Amino acid sequence: MDQMGTSRAIIPRIEFRDVSLAYDDDLVLDHVSFTVAPGEMKLMLGESGGGKSTIIKLVLGLEKPDSGDIFIEGEKITQLSEEELDRVRLKIGVVFQEGALFDSLTVFENVAYRLQESGENEKTIVDRVERIIEFVGLKGVEDKLPSELSGGMKRRVAIARAVVDEPEIVLFDEPTTGLDPPTAATICELGLKLRDVRGVSSIWVTHLIDDVRFLSSKYIAAAWGAQIKIEDEGDKIRLINTRIAMLHHSRIIFDGPDELFWESNDPFVREFLQFDTAMPQTDHAQAG
């Protein structure tokens, strides 16, 4: 509320307005519009090659839309120069499926890289890196090289590196693909910590329904260091800080809360969910 007692509109951290993009004759996004509010997680679903990862590239300014506009915290980035985009990218962390760590650098050095590039002093770097390494549950492995880590540990290092400079937006591109269910659950838990403890806005690209069920139905009830207490939303509360968006044939065919997603009558959503029920089920919640 402002001094006049009127409500001020909340500016989305990310906003797509009528965005279209094609590669030659291949239409990738067709008049796509959506928002990601402060502290909100957007679970982005769709078939392989359906434009999910392209959305991440557009947010980062690595691609330009053919039409429409993209806003980061209210600033239109569509026509910005590369130098101006670098300034915007400082607000954004990215976690890629493969981790993209520097093989010759230790865990500490990988996580510290962005801070060193931005010219932070040594004390600030050490304090922030130590704090975020504890946040992702990797205390004690600071001196190890990526080759000495498991796949899940590499993903956690990638998350630590993406958020060490405390960005308000984090983009996850298939962060649990190729991981066993308990390890995938650990990565999802970190996503919840960023959402519920740090108020990070995120886009979580995935084709895994287990991720969707976990991230849309649980919240962090308490957190201390790397330790967290996770609760189910149950029937008493309804999470409003996670929404599901589904792409199909270059368009968003669903954008809303999970309660409506599970009950959607859209044929593609029903096919997606029926395929899921035909697959062996894993339970992220059983992982520690």
Side-chain angles (χ1 to χ4, degrees), residues 37-69:
E40 179 182 278
M41 175 182 282
K42 179 79 73 175
L43 305 178
M44 192 69 66
L45 312 181
E47 62 262 82
S48 179
K52 304 186 302 295
S53 294
T54 299
I55 284 176
I56 286 182
K57 293 177 182 177
L58 287 164
V59 173
L60 291 168
L62 301 176
E63 298 275 6
K64 297 281 189 183
D66 296 325
S67 62
D69 290 309

Side-chain angles (χ1 to χ4, degrees), residues 41 95-97 99 135-138 150-160 170 172-195 202 204-206 208 211 214-215 220 228 230 284 287-288:
M41 175 182 282
V95 180
F96 297 104
Q97 177 182 329
F135 182 86
V136 301
L138 288 177
S150 67
M153 293 174 77
K154 290 178 184 177
R155 302 282 172 91
R156 282 191 273 168
V157 175
I159 292 173
V170 178
F172 295 90
D173 192 1
E174 303 272 8
T176 63
T177 296
L179 300 178
D180 60 84
T183 305
T186 300
I187 303 304
C188 286
E189 289 170 1
L190 285 175
L192 293 182
K193 281 183 75 174
L194 291 169
R195 184 194 70 190
S202 62
W204 185 290
V205 169
T206 186
L208 301 175
D211 286 9
F214 190 89
L215 293 166
I220 302 297
I228 55 176
I230 300 177
H284 280 0

Side-chain angles (χ1 to χ4, degrees), residues 42 52 141 145 150 160 185 205-206 229 235 239 267 279 283:
K42 179 79 73 175
K52 304 186 302 295
V141 303
L145 293 170
S150 67
V205 169
T206 186
K229 181 181 180 183
D235 296 325
L239 297 177
M279 299 294 288
D283 186 359

Side-chain angles (χ1 to χ4, degrees), residues 203-244:
I203 294 177
W204 185 290
V205 169
T206 186
H207 65 276
L208 301 175
I209 202 68
D210 280 350
D211 286 9
V212 180
R213 293 186 188 281
F214 190 89
L215 293 166
S216 65
S217 66
K218 299 183 184 297
Y219 66 96
I220 302 297
W224 51 97
Q227 303 301 312
I228 55 176
K229 181 181 180 183
I230 300 177
E231 298 283 0
D232 287 296
E233 64 171 353
D235 296 325
K236 294 182 180 179
I237 64 171
R238 283 288 178 260
L239 297 177
I240 60 173
N241 54 356
T242 294
R243 297 176 73 85
I244 298 170

Side-chain angles (χ1 to χ4, degrees), residues 265-278:
N265 290 320
D266 182 273
F268 183 72
V269 174
R270 298 316 314 165
E271 181 182 350
F272 184 84
L273 294 176
Q274 287 166 10
F275 176 77
D276 171 60
T277 59

Side-chain angles (χ1 to χ4, degrees), residues 241-260:
N241 54 356
T242 294
R243 297 176 73 85
I244 298 170
M246 174 162 272
L247 283 161
H248 182 51
H249 289 331
S250 309
R251 288 179 172 266
I252 288 186
I253 61 170
F254 179 89
D255 186 2
D258 69 302
E259 293 84 10
L260 297 181

